[in-house]
Amino acid sequence: MTTPIVEMDGDEMTRILWKMIKDELILPFVDLKSEYYDLGLVKRDETADKITVEAAEATKKYGVAVKCATITPNHQRMSEYNLHEMWKSPNGTIRSILDGTVFRTPITLPSIHPAVKNWEKPITIARHAYGDVYKSVELRADEPGVAKMVFCGESGKQQEVVIHNFKGCGVLQGMHNVDTSIRSFAHSCFKFALDTNQDLWFSTKDTISKKYDAQFKIIFEEVYQEYKAEFEARGLEYFYTLIDDAVARVIRSKGGFIWACKNYDGDVMSDMVSTAFGSLAMMTSVLVSPDGNYEYEAAHGTVTRHYYKYLKGEETSTNPMATIFAWTGALRKRGEKDQLPALINFADKLEEACFDVLNAGIVTKDLVNLIEGMEPKAVTSAGFIAAIRESLEKKLA
């Protein structure tokens, strides 16, 4: 390696897997150069979350990052970790700084058939990486009163709308988005569709949200005009529909397309799609910024339940596939940017080794009941990674 990748460590069971993957599958084969950032909740709390911002800025500097799953704290985590503040989602912070789009695609196997029987090809979820509930502000109304939303323009113009006339207590939430981010999102989606030669679907709820969601629809249609000729030349389709209609159509589809969603919709639907294709642990995720920066991560969380077992000294069978593919994605992209064919080849061989092990029926427990056509053998996380290393060593010999 000639240029570092940004390495963002994380929390709980995925942090344990992170070290195992590095020690067994990366460091013995790659002269790894990385700029390390500990995004574990303890370190984020110690630095008042500045380390998350520093990691995102480093990604803009070096162009490629790989990230471990992290905790977004709630009230329970506040007490468990004695936090000074309920810090925001680190993923949301990074997405906001990079102004990119998250593309999530299931890792598929011939022996695992999707829960939706007619799905024949993977469905890629394109998730907008800015705003909505992830950068919202909230307020608790603890008495009757009037809630208003006010915009004060630089020109002095003021707009005001009544949200609700509270007769008792309640809660409020204010969300926002910006045209520039929506436009970047649209460009990323159309470019990715052309890069992967797939149709692009987009969905919002503009019939109800006549300004907020409608603006997404308007901008997407404007941006599409720049790509329309190429789409038509390729025989590709750009398709817009309401989010509820899209959900119904996706279930009836054969797959093999990109489904662009707003931030929250993409968060939810990526979990639905990954589970229907097999397992939450079998989902790749890459954040792509408009200026060509990439951040790879697993699409799942920190696997808290397995972590508590690990702390008790119990063996776990946590699936590391998505985290391994985060590493291979980052290393491959680093190799492409720096013109290092050996690094690209290593990433390819590591992924091939993963598939060889799975296709041989050696799996983690989450996949046992999903495998068809063979008798799977469930192993621990360590056993699974050891089997991958054995296969990798043969490929690289």
Side-chain angles (χ1 to χ4, degrees):
M1 294 179 64
T2 54
T3 310
I5 59 173
V6 178
E7 179 187 346
M8 308 179 196
D9 212 340
D11 289 297
E12 297 188 321
M13 198 63 217
T14 44
R15 187 182 181 97
I16 305 303
L17 290 175
W18 192 262
K19 187 176 187 307
M20 292 170 64
I21 291 167
K22 279 185 65 178
D23 289 347
E24 295 296 322
L25 303 179
I26 308 295
L27 295 177
F29 310 99
V30 176
D31 179 20
L32 181 66
K33 289 180 172 61
S34 68
E35 189 164 297
Y36 178 86
Y37 293 87
D38 184 356
L39 297 194
L41 190 50
V42 172
K43 182 61 69 173
R44 278 183 277 144
D45 190 59
E46 288 178 359
T47 63
D49 208 29
K50 289 180 181 178
I51 194 167
T52 305
V53 175
E54 291 170 357
E57 293 295 341
T59 303
K60 294 170 72 173
K61 175 182 178 181
Y62 292 111
V64 180
V66 59
K67 180 182 175 296
C68 183
T70 47
I71 294 170
T72 299
N74 55 15
H75 287 288
Q76 177 186 335
R77 299 296 198 174
M78 284 281 291
S79 301
E80 182 180 354
Y81 283 85
N82 297 314
L83 302 178
H84 293 93
E85 187 176 319
M86 197 181 299
W87 306 108
K88 289 183 178 291
S89 162
N91 287 347
T93 299
I94 294 166
R95 290 169 193 148
S96 176
I97 292 172
L98 294 182
D99 187 28
T101 296
V102 179
F103 295 94
R104 292 180 170 175
T105 308
I107 302 168
T108 58
L109 294 172
S111 56
I112 297 180
H113 299 150
V116 181
K117 295 180 180 179
N118 43 280
W119 284 357
E120 299 174 359
K121 298 178 181 179
I123 295 169
T124 296
I125 299 293
R127 176 184 172 187
H128 187 209
Y130 179 83
D132 297 348
V133 68
Y134 300 88
K135 285 189 74 68
S136 67
V137 292
E138 300 176 323
L139 188 149
R140 166 67 173 162
D142 56 5
E143 63 176 324
V146 179
K148 297 181 180 180
M149 183 165 62
V150 180
F151 176 75
C152 302
E154 287 187 353
S155 66
K157 177 183 175 182
Q158 182 167 302
Q159 299 179 64
E160 181 179 303
V161 62
V162 173
I163 298 172
H164 186 66
N165 192 347
F166 283 88
K167 304 301 181 184
C169 299
V171 290
L172 298 97
Q173 183 182 72
M175 300 193 308
H176 79 278
N177 228 293
V178 293
D179 285 6
T180 52
S181 181
I182 299 170
R183 200 168 296 276
S184 294
F185 173 43
H187 279 291
S188 295
C189 290
F190 287 116
K191 288 177 180 177
F192 195 79
L194 291 174
D195 287 344
T196 57
N197 211 45
Q198 296 183 89
D199 291 341
L200 175 65
W201 295 16
F202 180 50
S203 55
T204 69
K205 193 69 172 178
D206 66 287
T207 52
I208 300 300
S209 178
K210 299 182 185 297
K211 294 188 184 296
Y212 197 105
D213 280 25
Q215 187 65 6
F216 278 80
K217 179 184 178 182
I218 291 168
I219 290 176
F220 258 74
E221 187 59 37
E222 290 175 356
V223 173
Y224 174 55
Q225 300 310 311
E226 301 179 33
Y227 299 89
K228 186 175 182 179
E230 184 64 23
F231 263 64
E232 291 177 349
R234 300 267 198 96
L236 299 177
E237 179 185 22
Y238 167 58
F239 174 65
Y240 173 83
T241 189
L242 296 173
I243 182 69
D244 44 342
D245 180 54
V247 170
R249 287 174 179 266
V250 165
I251 295 299
R252 292 292 185 186
S253 77
K254 293 184 178 181
F257 55 86
I258 300 165
W259 182 11
C261 298
K262 289 168 55 196
N263 210 347
Y264 181 79
D265 296 341
D267 191 2
V268 175
M269 293 306 170
S270 64
D271 278 8
M272 184 272 288
V273 167
S274 64
T275 303
F277 269 100
S279 169
L280 281 170
M282 301 282 283
M283 189 81 161
T284 65
S285 179
V286 56
L287 174 70
V288 183
S289 74
D291 47 358
N293 298 317
Y294 295 78
E295 182 242 313
Y296 295 83
E297 62 177 332
H300 59 73
T302 59
V303 202
T304 306
R305 183 170 57 87
H306 286 194
Y307 181 60
Y308 291 153
K309 286 185 176 181
Y310 172 83
L311 291 179
K312 294 177 183 178
E314 300 177 18
E315 289 189 328
T316 63
S317 183
T318 314
N319 191 333
M321 279 288 290
T323 305
I324 294 172
F325 272 58
W327 274 100
T328 57
L331 292 173
R332 182 182 294 108
K333 182 56 66 176
R334 183 78 278 161
E336 291 172 358
K337 282 180 173 285
D338 294 350
Q339 298 182 339
L340 299 172
L343 191 58
I344 297 171
N345 178 67
F346 169 77
D348 293 341
K349 294 301 183 185
L350 178 49
E351 290 183 2
E352 289 174 13
C354 291
F355 284 123
D356 285 350
V357 169
L358 289 168
N359 290 330
I362 301 172
V363 300
T364 46
K365 286 185 178 179
D366 61 309
L367 300 180
V368 168
N369 295 328
L370 302 175
I371 297 289
E372 299 179 29
M374 68 174 73
E375 189 66 34
K377 175 187 177 183
V379 294
T380 63
S381 302
F384 186 69
I385 290 173
I388 293 171
R389 176 168 180 171
E390 183 179 349
S391 175
L392 179 62
E393 286 175 338
K394 291 177 182 178
K395 291 180 177 294
L396 297 177

